Amino acid sequence: MHRLPVCGPEGPLRVDVTTPSPSTPGPEPEVPVRAVLFDFSGTLFQIRSYADRIRAALPGAVDDAAMDHLLNGLEAGLADPAVVAAQRARDVSPEAHRRAFTTWYSSVPELAPVAEVLYRQLKSPEHWRPYADAESTLKQLADGGLALGIVSDVGWDLRRTFAHHGLDRFFGSWVHSYEHGTEKPDPVLFHRACDDLGVEPAATLMVGDHPAKDGGAVGAGLRSYVLPTGAAPGSSRGLAAVLRLARIKA
């Protein structure tokens, strides 16, 4: 049986190069899709691996055994009551977001001195990598006349990251949770993006990797497509399924 990867707030703790294939989309709806909203992390982008980031943050070399110890510590930290408490409503403000991540990093004693460094990596565009099929998918959707937007639970403005990788040009709406003091699946976020793009929710598809948050767009009157977990940074994400749902010929 395939074991789902243990995930931290930013993605899988350990990279598994064998990515599950996305499920085949179901029957196409009658109302044509006119807009597609995307989540950020785990959907279009993934941050560099935890191992790479930790080695960049810590002074001196970190061998594989020491790295395994640190990753085990981060995994255990996910159950720490202080960490769990800090994750609640973490994306409603920049302050809550920073506190949530630095509390988790600091749950590992060896990482506590570099918790702020690890957090700054989150906001640094160069630490993020688009999935291999992100740009081609966005281009085909845009060329097909669909409006595109970002709806993300996040604590900072994502436009600089997208611009750094040349992908900001595709989007007509940017909805960041921290700017609205709420998180997905609050309909406020999805409806704001639909309003920005001038498209009805019934003609809008939300694409993400979180069943409750991104799949929750259905409760706001949108359609949704939830990607499987575990894709390695820079790998193909299986976004061709989005083209099929939007009736765009690849």
Side-chain angles (χ1 to χ4, degrees), residues 61-88:
V62 181
D63 63 26
D64 289 344
M67 181 58 65
D68 203 46
H69 168 74
L70 295 173
L71 294 177
N72 285 339
L74 284 174
E75 183 174 337
L78 292 170
D80 185 297
V83 174
V84 172
Q87 299 304 312
R88 298 190 186 103

Side-chain angles (χ1 to χ4, degrees), residues 32-35 147 191 193-204:
V33 174
R34 295 181 51 219
H191 290 166
C194 290
D195 289 345
D196 287 347
L197 299 174
V199 179
E200 290 296 318
T204 304

Side-chain angles (χ1 to χ4, degrees), residues 22-197:
S23 57
T24 302
E28 295 178 339
E30 294 181 4
V31 178
V33 174
R34 295 181 51 219
V36 182
L37 308 178
F38 287 94
D39 175 48
F40 167 58
S41 177
T43 299
L44 293 176
F45 282 78
Q46 186 54 274
I47 199 165
R48 291 169 57 194
S49 72
Y50 284 94
D52 286 348
R53 292 172 54 212
I54 289 170
R55 285 191 168 103
L58 286 175
V62 181
D63 63 26
D64 289 344
M67 181 58 65
D68 203 46
H69 168 74
L70 295 173
L71 294 177
N72 285 339
L74 284 174
E75 183 174 337
L78 292 170
D80 185 297
V83 174
V84 172
Q87 299 304 312
R88 298 190 186 103
R90 73 162 191 248
D91 297 307
V92 302
S93 72
E95 296 78 17
H97 191 269
R98 174 183 167 277
R99 182 171 59 253
F101 282 96
T102 55
T103 299
W104 180 47
Y105 301 145
S106 297
S107 68
V108 180
E110 297 91 338
L111 298 181
V114 295
E116 291 291 347
V117 176
L118 291 169
Y119 183 70
R120 286 197 297 273
Q121 291 174 349
L122 277 182
K123 301 170 71 173
S124 300
E126 60 271 18
H127 282 279
W128 291 90
R129 295 180 62 188
Y131 287 109
D133 50 349
E135 183 171 10
S136 61
T137 299
L138 296 173
K139 185 177 187 306
Q140 289 177 80
L141 290 170
D143 288 349
L146 276 72
L148 305 180
I150 293 294
V151 179
S152 179
D153 283 348
V154 70
W156 77 97
D157 193 318
L158 296 172
R159 279 171 278 209
R160 192 164 66 93
T161 298
F162 278 78
H164 179 81
H165 295 278
L167 300 181
D168 58 318
R169 68 189 189 277
F170 295 113
F171 298 96
S173 175
W174 301 85
V175 178
H176 304 103
S177 61
Y178 79 92
E179 294 180 314
H180 300 274
T182 188
E183 297 173 318
K184 293 180 290 185
D186 190 331
V188 167
L189 301 177
F190 303 118
H191 290 166
R192 174 59 185 268
C194 290
D195 289 345
D196 287 347
L197 299 174

